[in-house]
Amino acid sequence: GHVATWAIKDFCWAQNALAPALLSDIGTIALLIYGGVRETGSWRGLDRTDAAWVVWTFSNFTWILCEVKYDDNLPLRYVSAALAAVAFVLLALGRDHVRRRDTQGHEAEDLKQPLLV
């Protein structure tokens, strides 16, 4: 799934192969969303941790553009850093949810948590 496309993205990125890296990154985002929906049964089941991984992967997308296409463009690097920071905050905000989900089981009804609150 998404781990394979993530690895392909990293390989292509290391080779400075722009189009395959970006396509793999988009595939990773699609598979992250698909996996979250499939796991929970609906779009409403996506939580902050799912959003964090999607935003982090999009941060990689902008970073690839920054390095490979735009010769380490500083403003684009700031965009990548900002997206990474948003992903970190989302992941930190979802930490308790993940801990409870892992100890109580993913299907627990009281664990429904919106992306932002």
Side-chain angles (χ1 to χ4, degrees), residues 5 8 26 29 38 71 80 82 88 93 99-100 102 114:
T5 55
I8 292 168
I26 291 168
I29 291 170
R38 185 168 180 240
D71 195 31
S80 298
F88 177 77
L93 290 173
R99 183 179 299 130
R100 284 186 295 140
D102 289 345

Side-chain angles (χ1 to χ4, degrees), residues 39-60:
E39 181 180 316
T40 62
S42 76
W43 288 95
R44 295 189 66 190
L46 296 175
D47 62 15
R48 290 180 190 138
T49 56
D50 297 314
W53 292 118
V54 168
V55 173
W56 179 266
T57 306
F58 190 66
S59 169
N60 288 172

Side-chain angles (χ1 to χ4, degrees), residues 13 58-68 76-77 80:
W13 185 359
F58 190 66
S59 169
N60 288 172
F61 186 93
T62 59
W63 192 358
I64 292 167
L65 284 173
C66 170
E67 284 187 356
V68 178
L76 193 51
R77 186 171 299 275
S80 298

Side-chain angles (χ1 to χ4, degrees), residues 39-40 101 104-112:
E39 181 180 316
T40 62
R101 181 184 69 194
Q104 297 175 6
H106 184 66
E107 303 302 323
E109 192 60 36
D110 66 326
L111 295 179
K112 297 291 183 197

